[in-house]
Amino acid sequence: EVEKNLIQHLDKRILESPAIAISATKAEVVNMARITAVNISHAMGILLEEKVEEIQEVYAREKIIDNMQKLLTDYLIHIGNLSLNENQKLEVNNMFNTITDVERAADHAENIAEQAQYAQDHDISFSEIGQDDLKKISNKVMESFEASIDAFENNDLDAVVRTAHLEDQVDEMEEDMRETHILRLSSGDCVPQAGVIFLDVISDLERISDHADNVAGYVKTMI
C-alpha cells in the first residue's frame, strides 16, 4: 500500500516539472531515512531490553526500506532522463548516493536485530558495563544519523558539520570500547559469547555513523 501511494504520488509530480519531481523525491528520501532511524533505534532497544518478540517489526520495516530504495532509484533514473540543469543533475546524483547509504545503514540495524535474536537463543546477556557502553555509543550514533537527515532535508551546513563531529566521536568511542572490552575478555570479566556480539554490534553502529557522514558529505557539495 505504501508503495502504491508512493508511485502514484511521484508519477504525478514527474509530469509537472523536474524541479517539482526532485523536491517530491527528496521528501520521500527523507521519509525513508526517518523509517531507517526508527529501525536502528528499535533494533538497539530490542538488544538492550531483550524484547525479541518485537524483531518481526524490524524485519517488516526493513522490507519497506528496501522497496522504497528500489522505487526511488527507478524514479531518479526517470528524472535523470529529463532535461536538467547542472545543479539538478548534482542533486539527483546525490540522492542516488544518499539512498544507497541509508539502505546500508538499515542493513546494519537488521544485523543488530539478528544479534539480539542470537543472544536470546543462546541465553547470552551483557555485563552492566557492556550495556552501558552500548547505550552510550548507540545514542551518539542516533544523534549523528539524525543530524545527517537534517543536513539532507534542509541543505544545512551546521548539521553537516555536526554530523562530522559526531562521527569522529563515534569512531573514538568504538576504538576505546573495543580495547577495554578485549581487556575485560582476557581478564575473564566478560563472557566470550557476549564479547563477540558486543564487538559486532559496536562495529555495526560505527558503520551507521559512517553512512550518516557520507550523506552529510553529499549535502556539502550542494552548498
Side-chain angles (χ1 to χ4, degrees):
E1 198 51 44
V2 172
E3 290 139 48
K4 210 169 84 189
N5 292 343
L6 184 60
I7 293 168
Q8 285 170 345
H9 168 67
L10 293 177
D11 279 351
K12 276 188 207 140
R13 292 292 174 258
I14 205 161
L15 299 169
E16 292 177 50
S17 78
I20 290 170
I22 286 170
S23 113
T25 310
K26 186 171 177 173
E28 293 302 343
V29 176
V30 170
N31 256 339
M32 178 186 166
R34 290 231 164 93
I35 297 169
T36 300
V38 170
N39 236 19
I40 298 164
S41 174
H42 197 177
M44 280 309 296
I46 289 168
L47 179 75
L48 290 166
E49 293 154 36
E50 300 183 2
K51 290 184 174 171
V52 276
E53 67 279 2
E54 293 178 19
I55 279 183
Q56 288 315 316
E57 293 170 38
V58 170
Y59 295 155
R61 249 186 243 111
E62 168 65 16
K63 274 206 176 75
I64 290 170
I65 294 161
D66 278 348
N67 288 336
M68 284 182 92
Q69 184 205 18
K70 288 188 190 85
L71 289 169
L72 290 169
T73 300
D74 285 350
Y75 196 70
L76 282 168
I77 291 167
H78 285 306
I79 296 176
N81 291 329
L82 304 173
S83 57
L84 305 177
N85 62 38
E86 284 311 306
N87 211 37
Q88 288 171 331
K89 282 179 190 162
L90 180 61
E91 205 165 348
V92 166
N93 197 35
N94 284 348
M95 277 200 269
F96 270 122
N97 292 331
T98 296
I99 289 166
T100 304
D101 275 287
V102 169
E103 197 274 326
R104 288 193 179 146
D107 285 344
H108 288 294
E110 191 178 27
N111 289 352
I112 292 167
E114 284 165 0
Q115 296 287 1
Q117 183 72 63
Y118 183 87
Q120 170 86 0
D121 293 347
H122 297 83
D123 206 16
I124 300 164
S125 299
F126 298 107
S127 64
E128 240 175 274
I129 300 172
Q131 276 195 330
D132 209 41
D133 276 356
L134 287 172
K135 273 181 202 150
K136 273 187 202 141
I137 191 169
S138 67
N139 286 342
K140 193 66 75 179
V141 167
M142 285 310 301
E143 263 187 83
S144 77
F145 195 77
E146 276 156 14
S148 76
I149 300 175
D150 287 345
F152 174 79
E153 185 174 22
N154 306 309
N155 277 0
D156 181 341
L157 190 56
D158 286 344
V160 168
V161 173
R162 199 163 72 245
T163 308
H165 282 318
L166 287 161
E167 197 266 329
D168 285 342
Q169 289 170 24
V170 170
D171 279 353
E172 276 175 37
M173 282 171 108
E174 197 247 2
E175 227 169 274
D176 291 348
M177 285 176 185
R178 188 172 286 280
E179 279 173 26
T180 56
H181 197 77
I182 288 164
L183 288 174
R184 283 207 299 280
L185 279 171
S186 55
S187 65
D189 292 337
C190 189
V191 191
Q193 296 97 314
V196 172
I197 295 175
F198 179 90
L199 294 173
D200 276 350
V201 170
I202 64 171
S203 170
D204 275 314
L205 289 167
E206 190 271 328
R207 297 294 298 284
I208 290 169
S209 76
D210 280 346
H211 290 301
D213 195 43
N214 288 349
V215 169
Y218 309 137
V219 176
K220 202 174 174 182
T221 64
M222 297 291 304
I223 298 172

